[in-house]
Amino acid sequence: MTQLRASIAIVLSVALPMACINLEDPTAGNPPRLVVQGVMDLRAAQQTILVFRARTGSDAWNSADDDEPVGDAEVSITTPEGVTVRSSFGNPGFYPFPKLDTTSLQLRPGGSYTLHVRTSQGEEAAGTTTIPLAPVDLVPQSQSFDRTIDTLHLSWPRVAGARSYEVFVRSRVSTYRVFTDTSIVMAGTTLTTGGDPVFPAGTRVRVIVSAVDQNYYDYYSTQSDPFAGPAPGHLAGAIGVFGSIASVMSLQLTVR
């Protein structure tokens, strides 16, 4: 018994220093990665390109991860006509293009736009998106909706250049996003993945259906997994996305 105790003591005395060494030499963290995020929205008054370095290797901007906004980048967009427009600088990491419906940068259905980003450290990123060929005129609709008995039925015509269609539902309580083809049926009792009602009683709910390009669909329909790597973004020189959307339907529900 004495010999057995001595053997155990020897094993522990060897194992403990090894454990301490392993704890003091953890696996090296991911190096910072350049991340670019931007979506050309045909009906938005202002587009914004986000540029930052993700210290976690993830492409989701999260201040808790101590991601670093890049404030020294040159950000430009080139139109189908070959006109290059440079962003005015906003807050660090935010590069706005105000009123893209001006003559300096006309967003139009079916047009292809190229993004170029260059930082003071010599990093470069580029991407191209083609806006789906959605109709320009969009008439919002309003209706009442009883979440306990009503079901939302929506359908719309197919749009040239669209990879898929995003149905985005927003209220003061929750947001909900789903990709579908050219129709959707949603019960009034539908819940988000977090268990919140998509159509909360006593609120106004905005439903927007948008045609989206391949870049947008691949990026936002894939949930980034920190172990599997970032979602596909089709950018050269950075992770993230440069995509485009065009709304095809807008609906406001008064939910009771």
Side-chain angles (χ1 to χ4, degrees), residues 216-242:
Y216 186 100
Y217 175 77
D218 287 348
Y219 186 78
Y220 287 105
S221 67
T222 304
Q223 295 295 326
S224 295
D225 185 333
F227 298 101
H234 305 284
L235 288 173
I239 57 176
V241 63
F242 181 59

Side-chain angles (χ1 to χ4, degrees), residues 3 7 46 61 89-90 101 123 126 162 193 196 215 217 254:
Q3 184 177 359
S7 298
Q46 175 174 295
W61 192 336
F89 175 69
D101 58 348
E123 303 156 301
T193 55
D196 296 317
N215 298 350
Y217 175 77
T254 301

Side-chain angles (χ1 to χ4, degrees), residues 108-153:
R108 57 179 176 81
S112 295
Y113 297 82
T114 299
L115 171 71
H116 184 260
V117 176
R118 180 181 175 83
T119 72
S120 62
Q121 296 186 17
E123 303 156 301
E124 293 196 50
T128 299
T129 183
T130 300
I131 299 175
L133 199 59
V136 176
D137 296 327
L138 180 65
V139 180
Q141 306 173 38
S142 299
Q143 67 183 63
S144 60
F145 188 81
D146 188 333
R147 70 178 306 272
T148 61
I149 59 175
D150 288 340
T151 299
L152 185 65
H153 296 262

